[in-house]
Amino acid sequence: MATLQDVAKKAGVAPITVSRVVNNSGYVAQEVRERVEAAVEELGYVPNILARSLRSRQTNTLALVLSDVTNPFFTTVARGAGDSAAEAGFMLILCNTDEREQEEQRYLEMLVQRRVDGVLLVPAGKAVRQIQQLRQHGTQVVVLDRRLSEPVADVVRGDSLGGSRALCRHLVQQGHRVSAVLTGPKQVSTSRDRVQGFREAMAEAGLETMCRAFYGQYSQSSGYAMAGEALNQTPRPTALFATNNFIAIGALNCLRDRGVKVPEDVALVAFDDLPPGLVTFPFLTVVSQPAYEMGRKGAELLLRRLNGDAEPYQEVVLPVEMTLRRSSGSFGTQPESMIGDASPPLVERL
Amino acid sequence: MATLQDVAKKAGVAPITVSRVVNNSGYVAQEVRERVEAAVEELGYVPNILARSLRSRQTNTLALVLSDVTNPFFTTVARGAGDSAAEAGFMLILCNTDEREQEEQRYLEMLVQRRVDGVLLVPAGKAVRQIQQLRQHGTQVVVLDRRLSEPVADVVRGDSLGGSRALCRHLVQQGHRVSAVLTGPKQVSTSRDRVQGFREAMAEAGLETMCRAFYGQYSQSSGYAMAGEALNQTPRPTALFATNNFIAIGALNCLRDRGVKVPEDVALVAFDDLPPGLVTFPFLTVVSQPAYEMGRKGAELLLRRLNGDAEPYQEVVLPVEMTLRRSSGSFGTQPESMIGDASPPLVERL
DNA sequence: TTGTAAGCGTTATCAC
DNA sequence: GTGATAACGCTTACAA
């Protein structure tokens, strides 16, 4: 494989001159430039970014560390981040932690070794120490989706508290008195915030003693299990709040297996919509977050930091949107025709 | 940031000795090893993989170049590839081409510059030249999801022909005489193969003159448009075959907007299921591919190549699975209850 | 079992 | 405008 040196020899110039032509930096006479370009062409020269990065201390690479791309919410975040990165000429490394702090730690170490310029992190745990370590090694960090206990990095997240409060107020309005929230791990801020929104909405209605919170995982199986537990309570809840899409799906499966009808017997609302169109017959009342925007904004913020922006850390809270559908009984109790249902759901921007 | 040299000085050994300790390669006396490890610890030394890669000509990095992670099929492929890579200590770079050859080319060039060890490619076009170029630059390639016109790389793909044949035979069995296939770009092999399967099934039943093929994009909007065109044909088709999930969704929207009921007025079958559970009320009769396996197998094959496996190129055709559901009329014409429907769909392994 | 010397392919720095 | 020189941090090849 031809190197910059080879090109220099062939063009009869110094290596640095080739470098200047290739990178369009510094002054190069038109005549020399053409000679170099011809040599590049002839030799099929492809610059070695590793060598460049070693010297320049810039890899033009970002990483996105999240729990699972397979979750449609994160899929969309990944696409947004990827688009931002590509526009800036950066590549994006993807890492799935499955919400395990140990995996996260392992990936972060690998990323520092590779000298990625920045990391978009959806932290599985507290993350404060990890972020400080990254920064110590010269790696910038922007946190996505989740809050930090201390302001050690920029954060881009959705309005978990407001969204869940709206969703649960809706349940109260629908006449539900006994309800339960099925949520993810306690150490994840979205999990805590969404429970908090639930609590606040119930407290407003004087129902704090009538509701329960179940902590588990942001997974279908956990959603299934938690729904089962919730249904065993007495008095039995007439409404369930699933704090993410996977929990909602698990809960739905549990309800079906038990012969509990939604929304006739039990209402179900959830955080995170499935991408519009992906579901043929949208059914769940949800609060959805601007996932694509989250990925995009996060990457943009990160890139700005890399360009030396030294503003204090900021927390960007993106607005969420509530969509009322059948699962909370908002459209009567008769199943609608699966096809040809033209009545649009009610959408409220929060 | 501490370097290997710093560690060497602190431990009173030569740099190469530190290298041996860090990489667990070559002989190092226990006593020396401990001394080095202490120094590593004390200085917070993190190896610089860039420098290592520059010398060793290995980046321990793979790339996955596909059309759009947002497509649940590719999301799952990405997860499979990511898991394989992680197990081998490799990182995975993700690139979205949106089925544009120019973007693909741009990404491939960037990947060569970065000296990734291997590329998992879902080619937007013919790709033969691109693959040869990559290999010329020392980058291994495994092609996913799509066939190549010449055997220039390993291929891991699903059984498009067999799957679509089965799906379309099913349509014939259901009594459909006039039908149409809505498919992606002509230059993509899956698109051609699925049309071919459709044609073969129709020919078997002597219906070749009663069917039409519409080529477009693997997108919702294209699916919508093609369904519209198909419905304008006379005689109007009573069955549509969408060759991927996005086209199916677009078609479904078109049918709904036109007040055409599925499956009463028109039957719809499709390639690619949505991940089980992701859809609350599965409705579409589909052939689904083992997406996770495809990503995993592809990455494994690639890693084996990197380890010097010199077998001739192989084409791995993964079996697909047909699932009969309501959209093809397999379960009668009455909409079933959306919840509490315990009757399992019919699944056939091909 | 450990070390020396050279080089991987660039770019930063400074000089002309 | 162009170039010489050194350096980025590591590993290969060979020697001791």
Side-chain angles (χ1 to χ4, degrees):
Chain A
M1 254 183 99
T3 73
L4 182 142
Q5 305 256 13
D6 301 335
V7 176
K9 244 173 239 160
K10 171 141 252 154
V13 296
I16 184 67
T17 302
V18 178
S19 170
R20 288 201 257 255
V21 171
V22 170
N23 298 303
N24 246 316
S25 66
Y27 300 100
V28 181
Q30 186 55 29
E31 188 262 329
V32 174
R33 154 164 280 123
E34 279 162 16
R35 203 139 39 89
V36 170
E37 279 167 350
V40 163
E41 197 59 33
E42 199 174 337
L43 295 173
Y45 167 67
V46 179
N48 185 327
I49 298 273
L50 294 175
R52 186 211 304 259
S53 296
L54 181 58
R55 194 68 247 248
S56 68
R57 300 168 168 293
Q58 280 213 23
T59 52
N60 280 31
T61 304
L62 302 183
L64 174 59
V65 180
L66 43 68
S67 60
D68 182 9
V69 241
T70 270
N71 179 326
F73 170 69
F74 288 123
T75 308
T76 308
V77 170
R79 184 67 217 252
D83 287 356
S84 273
E87 282 169 23
F90 278 62
M91 307 243 72
L92 186 70
I93 293 178
L94 183 68
C95 308
N96 297 99
T97 65
D98 287 317
E99 218 74 271
R100 299 207 300 270
E101 291 197 61
Q102 207 183 338
E103 280 298 291
E104 176 179 296
Q105 181 65 36
R106 195 179 134 257
Y107 277 122
L108 294 179
E109 276 163 21
M110 290 177 76
L111 293 169
V112 169
Q113 294 184 175
R114 252 154 250 255
R115 302 296 192 269
V116 299
D117 297 320
V119 173
L120 289 163
L121 176 64
V122 180
K126 200 154 172 292
V128 172
R129 216 193 61 246
Q130 282 88 335
I131 291 171
Q132 286 166 336
Q133 274 178 13
L134 283 172
R135 188 153 303 112
Q136 222 163 23
H137 290 298
T139 309
Q140 291 289 345
V141 184
V142 167
V143 168
L144 295 185
D145 184 52
R146 299 171 184 183
R147 272 192 299 111
L148 288 170
S149 57
E150 301 165 46
V152 293
D154 295 307
V155 175
V156 182
R157 62 179 183 86
D159 183 8
S160 283
L161 184 63
S164 55
R165 201 160 36 199
L167 219 34
C168 298
R169 278 181 184 151
H170 166 66
L171 288 177
V172 171
Q173 278 169 0
Q174 293 288 108
H176 296 283
R177 318 283 305 162
V178 184
S179 54
V181 56
L182 317 178
T183 192
K186 218 165 199 159
Q187 71 265 27
V188 173
S189 78
T190 52
S191 187
R192 293 192 307 274
D193 289 351
R194 292 168 196 177
V195 169
Q196 179 63 20
F198 170 76
R199 288 238 160 83
E200 289 181 13
M202 293 306 153
E204 284 168 11
L207 297 170
E208 50 278 70
T209 60
M210 310 294 275
C211 58
R212 283 215 42 190
F214 296 86
Y215 287 88
Q217 298 297 126
Y218 276 137
S219 70
Q220 289 192 39
S221 58
S222 184
Y224 191 100
M226 289 189 289
E229 283 186 68
L231 290 178
N232 288 340
Q233 302 291 309
T234 42
R236 195 172 91 168
T238 64
L240 297 179
F241 168 31
T243 61
N244 96 330
N245 46 13
F246 281 174
I247 292 177
I249 289 163
L252 221 36
N253 288 335
C254 174
L255 294 168
R256 189 199 51 217
D257 288 355
R258 292 214 183 187
V260 177
K261 291 220 187 299
V262 180
E264 293 82 347
D265 303 332
V266 168
L268 179 66
V269 298
F271 224 93
D272 291 337
D273 204 358
L274 296 174
L278 219 150
V279 176
T280 30
F281 312 113
F283 166 75
L284 280 176
T285 286
V286 296
V287 155
S288 55
Q289 310 183 74
Y292 184 84
E293 279 309 308
M294 193 180 292
R296 201 166 234 307
K297 273 247 166 65
E300 279 168 10
L301 211 53
L302 191 49
L303 290 166
R304 226 182 301 146
R305 289 285 176 203
L306 296 179
N307 287 327
D309 183 342
E311 301 281 298
Y313 295 127
Q314 53 180 291
E315 180 166 40
V316 179
V317 179
L318 300 172
V320 298
E321 214 174 66
M322 181 161 70
T323 306
L324 301 182
R325 301 205 190 93
R326 273 210 343 103
S327 76
S328 62
S330 320
F331 286 84
T333 55
Q334 292 307 307
E336 292 153 30
S337 164
M338 294 174 93
I339 280 286
D341 167 23
S343 71
L346 189 65
V347 176
E348 183 184 345
R349 192 80 187 274
L350 299 180
Chain B
M1 251 185 103
T3 73
L4 183 142
Q5 305 257 13
D6 300 336
V7 176
K9 244 172 240 161
K10 173 141 251 156
V13 296
I16 184 65
T17 303
V18 178
S19 170
R20 289 201 256 257
V21 171
V22 169
N23 298 304
N24 246 316
S25 66
Y27 300 101
V28 181
Q30 186 56 30
E31 188 261 331
V32 175
R33 156 163 278 123
E34 278 163 15
R35 203 139 40 89
V36 170
E37 280 167 349
V40 164
E41 196 61 32
E42 199 173 335
L43 295 173
Y45 168 67
V46 179
N48 184 327
I49 298 274
L50 293 175
R52 187 212 303 255
S53 296
L54 182 58
R55 193 70 247 253
S56 67
R57 300 167 168 293
Q58 280 212 20
T59 51
N60 280 33
T61 304
L62 302 183
L64 174 58
V65 179
L66 43 68
S67 60
D68 181 10
V69 241
T70 270
N71 179 326
F73 170 70
F74 288 123
T75 308
T76 309
V77 170
R79 184 66 217 252
D83 287 357
S84 273
E87 282 168 23
F90 279 62
M91 307 243 72
L92 186 70
I93 292 178
L94 183 68
C95 309
N96 297 99
T97 65
D98 287 317
E99 219 73 270
R100 300 205 300 268
E101 291 197 61
Q102 205 184 339
E103 280 299 290
E104 177 181 297
Q105 182 64 37
R106 197 180 132 255
Y107 276 124
L108 294 180
E109 276 163 21
M110 290 177 75
L111 294 169
V112 169
Q113 294 185 174
R114 252 153 250 255
R115 301 297 192 268
V116 299
D117 297 320
V119 173
L120 290 163
L121 177 64
V122 179
K126 200 155 172 292
V128 170
R129 216 194 60 247
Q130 283 87 337
I131 292 170
Q132 286 166 337
Q133 274 180 12
L134 284 171
R135 188 153 304 111
Q136 223 164 23
H137 289 298
T139 309
Q140 293 287 347
V141 184
V142 167
V143 167
L144 296 185
D145 185 50
R146 299 171 185 184
R147 272 192 300 110
L148 288 171
S149 55
E150 300 165 45
V152 293
D154 295 308
V155 175
V156 182
R157 63 179 182 86
D159 183 7
S160 282
L161 185 62
S164 55
R165 202 160 36 200
L167 220 33
C168 298
R169 278 181 185 152
H170 166 67
L171 288 177
V172 171
Q173 278 169 2
Q174 294 288 108
H176 296 283
R177 319 282 306 162
V178 184
S179 54
V181 56
L182 317 179
T183 193
K186 218 164 200 161
Q187 71 265 28
V188 173
S189 78
T190 52
S191 188
R192 293 193 307 274
D193 289 352
R194 290 168 196 176
V195 169
Q196 179 63 18
F198 171 74
R199 288 239 159 82
E200 290 181 14
M202 293 307 154
E204 285 168 9
L207 298 170
E208 50 278 68
T209 60
M210 311 294 277
C211 57
R212 283 214 44 188
F214 296 86
Y215 287 88
Q217 297 299 125
Y218 277 138
S219 69
Q220 289 193 39
S221 58
S222 183
Y224 191 100
M226 291 189 287
E229 283 186 67
L231 290 178
N232 288 340
Q233 302 292 307
T234 42
R236 195 172 89 169
T238 64
L240 297 179
F241 168 31
T243 61
N244 96 329
N245 46 14
F246 282 174
I247 292 178
I249 289 164
L252 223 33
N253 288 335
C254 174
L255 294 168
R256 189 200 51 218
D257 288 355
R258 293 214 182 187
V260 177
K261 291 219 187 299
V262 180
E264 293 83 347
D265 304 331
V266 168
L268 179 66
V269 298
F271 225 94
D272 292 338
D273 204 0
L274 296 174
L278 218 152
V279 175
T280 29
F281 313 112
F283 164 75
L284 280 176
T285 287
V286 295
V287 154
S288 55
Q289 310 184 74
Y292 183 84
E293 279 309 309
M294 192 179 292
R296 202 169 233 305
K297 273 247 165 65
E300 279 167 10
L301 211 52
L302 191 49
L303 290 166
R304 227 184 298 145
R305 289 283 175 206
L306 295 180
N307 288 327
D309 184 341
E311 302 280 300
Y313 295 128
Q314 53 180 293
E315 179 166 41
V316 180
V317 179
L318 268 17
V320 299
E321 215 175 65
M322 182 162 68
T323 307
L324 302 181
R325 301 205 189 92
R326 272 213 338 107
S327 76
S328 63
S330 319
F331 286 85
T333 55
Q334 293 307 308
E336 292 154 30
S337 163
M338 293 175 92
I339 278 287
D341 167 22
S343 72
L346 190 64
V347 177
E348 184 185 345
R349 191 79 186 273
L350 299 181

